[in-house]
Amino acid sequence: MYPKLAAFLAGALTLMVTATPFPQPEPQQKYIVILHSAAPSQAVSNQERRDAVKQAFKISWDAYYKYAFPHDSLKPVSNSWADDRNGWGASAVDAFSTALVMRDWSVVAQILSYVPTIDFTKTSTEVSLFETTIRYLGGLISAYDLMTSNPLFSDPGFNYTSKQTDAILSQAVRLADSLSVAFNTPSGIPDNTLVFDPKTGPRRAGRQTNGLATIGTLVLEWTRLSDLTGNSTYAQLAQRAESFLLNPQPPQIAEPFPGLLGTNVNITTGLFVDSSGGWGGGTDSFYEYLIKMYLYDPTRFTLYRDRWIQAADSSIQYIASHPSTRPDLTFLAGWRGGGGGGPRGNTTLRFSSGHLDCFAAGSFILGGLTLSSHKYLDFGLQLVKSCAATYSSTATGIGPEAFSWQDSRTPLNNATNNPGPPPNAEQKAFYEKNGFWITNGQYVLRPEVIESMYYAWRATGDAKYREWAWAAFLAINRTTSVGAGRGYSSVENVDKEGGGRKTDFQESFWFAEVLKYCWLIFQDDDDPWQVKSDKTNQFVYNTECHPIRLAKGHEAPPSSSSSSSYS
C-alpha cells in the first residue's frame, strides 16, 4: 500500500465471482475503496492514481461478471442485469480495450474466451446500427489492433495465439455482415434501426429518416474493417452514406452555417429535412469523426479535414457564447430552424448545452494538434475550462446532464431565445455565481468532460488538467459507488449531496470511456495509443474511446471478394 494513498483509501472488500464456463478472477481478491473524505489536493503520485482507477475498474468488472455477465449491463443497486444492447455482452466488449491498455490480463482472458461465443445474428430487441458500431464493432476492431501490435504483443503477460486474436476479427466481420442490410436503401443512407428476424434474417425497420450522428459515426470503424480484411465493401457502404453529409443538400436547409448542418436526413432522397443542430446528442460525433478520419489517413480523407475546418470556424464565429454572469466561460450554443440561407438566416440560437457537448473541447484540441493550429487548440482549452467549471460548481463535484445560460451578447430578457434563469431565488443565485443553471441534474457515468481534460493534458503537458481529472474521478467515485463491491450507478441529482437517488444502472461506456480516460491521463508511459502532441500518433480513438490503429502501412491487400450481400 502506498503511504500517501493510504491516508485516504481504506476498506478492503472481498468480491467472489460465481462459477461460469469462462476464466475466473483470482479468489479472495481485495480492493480498496476511496473514502468520501478524499481530498484532491493531497499529494498523490500518478502511480497511486492509476492504482485507484484500476481498482475502480476491477470492482466494476467483478460486480458485472458476478451479477450480470454475459448480459449487457449491470444494475448495481438491485444486483441484476439489463440487456439494453441486444444481449451480446456490451459491457464485456466495451471493457476489452480498457483491460488491454491497463494490461489486466485476467480480465482480458475472460473477455477473449467469451467473444467467439457471441451470436451476432440473434437478438430479441431492435438493433441500433450506430450503437452497435461504436460499442461492439469498434470494441472488437480495437482489441484486434491492440493485440496484434507492440507493445502488447511482446508484453510478458501476453499469452495468446494468433487463432485467438483472429477470432476477434472474424467476429467483427460477422457482425458487420449482419448489419450491412441497413445500407440497402435507395440512397445508401442506412436505416439506423434493424430487426434480426429469426426466420428471415436481418431486415430494416423501415424508418424514413436518419440522424447526422447516426449516419456520420460509422465511417471510422467500417473503413478500418475494410483496411484490415482487404474487403472494400465495408468502407464503401459507410463512405457512400457519409458523402451525403460532406455535400449536404439542399444547402439552404442543410447548412444554416458553413460546415454546421441540420440533424435529420431523408433515407430515400438523401436530402436534409431540418436545419436544427449543435454539438450535442444526435449530431456530435459526426463532427468528431471528420478530423479523426483525416488523422486516420490524411491521403484519403482531405475533404473530411476541410469540412471539419468549416465547422470549427463557424462554431467559433457564430455559436460560441459567454454567459452574462460569467463572461470568462465559453459554451457552444445550439440552433433551431434556419432555412433562410446564409449564416444565421432564419436560424435562432438556443443557449443550452450539456455533458455530451463537452466532447467538443477535445475535438478542437485534436484538430489544433493535427493541423498545427493555435486557434483551434486555444479555443478547445477555453471549452475545457468551462466544462470543468460545471463540475466544480455542483454539490457533488460532477457536472449535470444538461444546463442553460443567458448569452452576454444577445439582448437580455428581450429576445425570446435568451431568457434568464428560472425565477426561484436558488437558481438565480446559482446562475449569478456559476454562469449556468441546471436543467437536468442526472449523471449517467458519462466521460466527455474527463475526455477533454485528457486531450488538454496531452496537448499542453500542464499538470492542472491532471488535477482536474483527479478531482473529477474522486467525485464520481464517492458519489456513484454502490458500495460492498457492487459497482457504480448513475445518480439523479449532481447538485444534491451524495447525488440523490441512485438510478441503478452501470453503463457499458463506464468501462470503455470514463475509466480508460482516467487511466490514460495518469499514465506516465508514452504508449503508442496515447494522443501525441508531436504528430507521431499511431492510434485514433473512436467515439466510444476504443483505440483504432492508424491506416499508415497497416492495411491488408485489397480483395475483390465480399462476404456482405450489399454494395
Side-chain angles (χ1 to χ4, degrees):
M1 186 70 186
Y2 293 93
K4 295 176 185 175
L5 195 61
F8 62 93
L9 298 182
L13 294 174
T14 300
L15 298 180
M16 299 299 294
V17 178
T18 55
T20 76
F22 304 104
Q24 298 297 299
E26 296 177 6
Q28 302 296 321
Q29 182 68 43
K30 294 184 178 180
Y31 303 104
I32 309 302
V33 180
I34 295 177
L35 291 178
H36 290 199
S37 60
S41 60
Q42 291 178 264
V44 184
S45 73
N46 285 316
Q47 177 64 56
E48 293 167 319
R49 294 177 182 190
R50 287 197 303 276
D51 288 346
V53 173
K54 192 168 186 178
Q55 288 162 355
F57 176 81
K58 288 291 287 182
I59 290 170
S60 304
W61 172 259
D62 286 353
Y64 164 72
Y65 204 77
K66 179 177 182 179
Y67 296 113
F69 179 82
H71 298 283
D72 290 332
S73 300
L74 171 67
K75 300 181 73 174
V77 176
S78 56
N79 293 336
S80 58
W81 51 266
D83 276 337
D84 56 307
R85 294 295 164 208
N86 307 109
W88 294 326
S91 288
V93 178
D94 254 353
F96 205 173
S97 63
T98 304
L100 284 164
V101 301
M102 288 182 174
R103 295 168 173 85
D104 192 330
W105 298 115
S106 64
V107 174
V108 169
Q110 290 173 298
I111 301 171
L112 188 59
S113 295
Y114 169 64
V115 164
T117 72
I118 304 172
D119 187 346
F120 283 121
T121 68
K122 295 180 181 179
T123 181
S124 60
T125 54
E126 287 186 337
V127 178
S128 164
L129 174 64
F130 164 76
E131 295 287 358
T132 306
T133 292
I134 66 172
R135 301 191 197 214
Y136 288 110
L137 191 61
L140 294 172
I141 291 171
S142 174
Y144 180 81
D145 272 342
L146 289 168
M147 294 186 75
T148 54
S149 58
N150 285 321
L152 296 187
F153 186 75
S154 58
D155 189 275
F158 188 96
N159 189 29
Y160 307 104
T161 66
S162 58
K163 182 178 180 180
Q164 288 175 296
T165 53
D166 287 348
I168 302 171
L169 186 60
S170 296
Q171 281 289 65
V173 168
R174 292 188 187 99
L175 175 57
D177 288 344
S178 294
L179 296 173
S180 293
V181 67
F183 297 90
N184 189 22
T185 67
S187 66
I189 293 174
D191 188 334
N192 187 56
T193 307
L194 302 177
V195 176
F196 284 15
D197 192 304
K199 295 182 179 179
T200 61
R203 60 176 173 81
R204 292 175 46 214
R207 302 291 192 266
Q208 299 304 306
T209 61
N210 199 352
L212 186 65
T214 44
I215 300 167
T217 318
L218 310 172
V219 66
L220 175 58
E221 295 86 350
W222 288 69
T223 298
R224 183 59 181 163
L225 187 60
S226 280
D227 288 349
L228 286 171
T229 63
N231 181 346
S232 62
T233 298
Y234 307 112
Q236 289 169 358
L237 292 173
Q239 290 173 28
R240 179 184 178 190
E242 187 86 11
S243 68
F244 290 89
L245 311 181
L246 298 173
N247 182 28
Q249 299 294 323
Q252 67 272 22
I253 294 176
E255 199 166 1
F257 305 102
L260 296 177
L261 310 185
T263 298
N264 294 295
V265 185
N266 185 287
I267 286 174
T268 300
T269 65
L271 301 178
F272 275 76
V273 299
D274 67 63
S275 303
S276 298
W279 284 74
T283 56
D284 46 5
S285 43
F286 160 69
Y287 301 108
E288 175 186 358
Y289 273 28
L290 291 177
I291 193 64
K292 286 185 174 181
M293 288 307 295
Y294 177 68
L295 178 59
Y296 177 73
D297 189 339
T299 301
R300 284 182 284 176
F301 298 107
T302 54
L303 177 58
Y304 290 64
R305 173 203 62 194
D306 296 343
R307 293 297 287 175
W308 184 87
I309 290 172
Q310 278 192 306
D313 287 346
S314 286
S315 296
I316 294 171
Q317 182 174 357
Y318 298 116
I319 67 171
S321 173
H322 308 286
S324 59
T325 61
R326 287 286 303 275
D328 58 308
L329 299 181
T330 304
F331 299 120
L332 291 175
W335 57 89
R336 296 190 188 96
R344 292 195 177 258
N346 294 330
T347 303
T348 301
L349 295 185
R350 49 178 177 81
F351 302 108
S352 59
S353 187
H355 207 291
L356 279 167
D357 305 57
C358 283
F359 93 93
S363 183
F364 274 88
I365 292 169
L366 181 64
L369 293 176
T370 304
L371 303 174
S372 300
S373 168
H374 283 291
K375 176 176 74 171
Y376 302 134
L377 175 60
D378 291 344
F379 186 74
L381 294 177
Q382 290 180 43
L383 295 178
V384 174
K385 169 191 168 185
S386 304
C387 286
T390 68
Y391 268 53
S392 60
S393 300
T394 68
T396 60
I398 305 172
E401 178 74 1
F403 57 90
S404 295
W405 66 95
Q406 194 172 38
D407 181 64
S408 63
R409 295 175 299 179
T410 304
L412 301 184
N413 301 314
N414 295 323
T416 57
N417 67 320
N418 196 34
N424 69 74
E426 185 179 358
Q427 284 276 45
K428 283 186 175 181
F430 188 95
Y431 178 62
E432 285 296 323
K433 178 181 179 182
N434 301 308
F436 68 95
W437 62 89
I438 296 170
T439 56
N440 183 337
Q442 295 183 87
Y443 177 65
V444 296
L445 306 181
R446 290 203 189 280
E448 291 79 15
V449 175
I450 293 176
E451 171 184 353
S452 289
M453 291 173 182
Y454 166 70
Y455 279 94
W457 157 249
R458 294 298 301 178
T460 67
D462 189 332
K464 74 181 179 184
Y465 298 112
R466 276 180 156 173
E467 297 306 315
W468 293 358
W470 180 236
F473 172 75
L474 291 176
I476 292 167
N477 190 93
R478 67 174 172 257
T479 302
T480 67
S481 174
V482 177
R486 290 157 56 199
Y488 296 80
S489 172
S490 48
V491 296
E492 196 170 52
N493 186 355
V494 297
D495 202 36
K496 183 177 181 180
E497 288 295 338
R501 183 176 66 90
K502 288 183 168 59
T503 48
D504 198 18
F505 206 76
Q506 181 179 281
E507 283 274 4
S508 73
F509 53 66
W510 166 251
F511 289 108
E513 300 188 73
V514 179
L515 294 173
K516 187 184 289 101
Y517 283 123
C518 286
W519 172 266
L520 293 171
I521 201 169
F522 301 128
Q523 189 177 22
D524 294 319
D525 296 335
D526 201 27
D527 281 324
W529 46 78
Q530 292 276 22
V531 170
K532 313 290 186 182
S533 62
D534 60 357
K535 294 190 175 183
T536 59
N537 294 285
Q538 297 182 46
F539 286 79
V540 62
Y541 288 93
N542 89 330
T543 196
E544 195 82 355
C545 195
H546 293 304
I548 305 295
R549 194 167 181 86
L550 300 188
K552 45 189 178 185
H554 298 286
E555 300 88 345
S559 170
S560 59
S561 63
S562 171
S563 55
S564 175
S565 303
Y566 300 95
S567 61

